[in-house]
Amino acid sequence: NRQGEEQKLIDTVVEAVRQGKKVLIPSFALGRSQEVLLILSKAMAKKQIPMVPVYVDGMVRDMTMAYLRYPTYLRAVLARKIMRGQNPFFHDAIQPVSNAMDRKELVHQKGPAIFVASSGMLTGGPSVTYAKELVPDENAVIIITGYQDEEAPGRTLLNMMDADQEEKDAVIDGTLLPVKCKV
């Protein structure tokens, strides 16, 4: 049920933000990430999610910019907004990360923040940089929104949700990390 899944995403984000946590949403650059950005934006506009910085990074940023350049390929509602000069993806709270050097600074800034970054399976790209900082942090949440291959680090994290073991570790980009974040 799409509506139910969207509400689950919103509820998870709200809980994390209220607790002052950082949220990583590793996402596929084409399609899924733009859906996530629109869900977050709409929920903020309706005041379901408090205004909190959302940072868009990697191929997610690049593909979202491409969507803005070719509005006629989008749903009519989005195309009309873009043609009127509105940006349905980026606004005051949702911003692209323009410099890779900013990643560690952004992840360590005070207060809650949301990162939507490629790759969706945590196999490469900026999501790996964020994950390496957030996986061992009990004040972080990683929200998996898409398919995870059996060997992908994202699948390892998902499998840990069902495991009863107390000590949990995951290999992210060749580094063994204790998993303390919520998944």
Side-chain angles (χ1 to χ4, degrees), residues 144-163:
I144 306 291
T145 62
Y147 171 77
Q148 301 296 306
D149 186 64
E150 288 296 322
E151 286 83 35
R155 174 60 67 103
T156 301
L157 293 176
L158 279 178
N159 289 343
M160 284 183 189
M161 288 176 47
D162 300 327

Side-chain angles (χ1 to χ4, degrees), residues 77-151:
V77 171
L78 292 174
R80 282 193 298 273
K81 283 183 180 181
I82 293 168
M83 288 184 218
R84 285 192 305 251
Q86 297 174 321
N87 188 329
F89 301 108
F90 297 122
H91 52 72
D92 290 342
I94 301 177
Q95 295 291 318
V97 175
S98 57
N99 184 339
M101 298 300 291
D102 292 339
R103 290 180 185 134
K104 283 195 179 188
E105 185 179 313
L106 291 172
V107 96
H108 292 290
Q109 70 186 359
K110 294 264 187 224
I114 302 168
F115 302 92
V116 180
S118 54
S119 109
M121 288 192 248
L122 293 171
T123 55
S127 67
V128 170
T129 302
Y130 295 115
K132 287 170 78 173
E133 298 294 321
L134 298 176
V135 163
D137 185 352
E138 59 190 21
N139 289 314
V141 177
I142 297 179
I143 300 174
I144 306 291
T145 62
Y147 171 77
Q148 301 296 306
D149 186 64
E150 288 296 322
E151 286 83 35

Side-chain angles (χ1 to χ4, degrees), residues 17-29:
V17 167
R18 286 194 177 137
Q19 294 173 0
K21 295 182 177 185
K22 303 283 190 258
V23 177
L24 171 61
I25 305 174
S27 191
F28 298 101

Side-chain angles (χ1 to χ4, degrees), residues 46-67:
K46 290 180 163 185
K47 301 197 184 314
Q48 293 173 305
I49 296 176
M51 289 300 266
V52 61
V54 178
Y55 299 106
V56 181
D57 204 350
M59 282 184 62
V60 172
R61 176 198 58 229
D62 299 339
M63 290 307 300
T64 302
M65 297 295 204
Y67 271 60

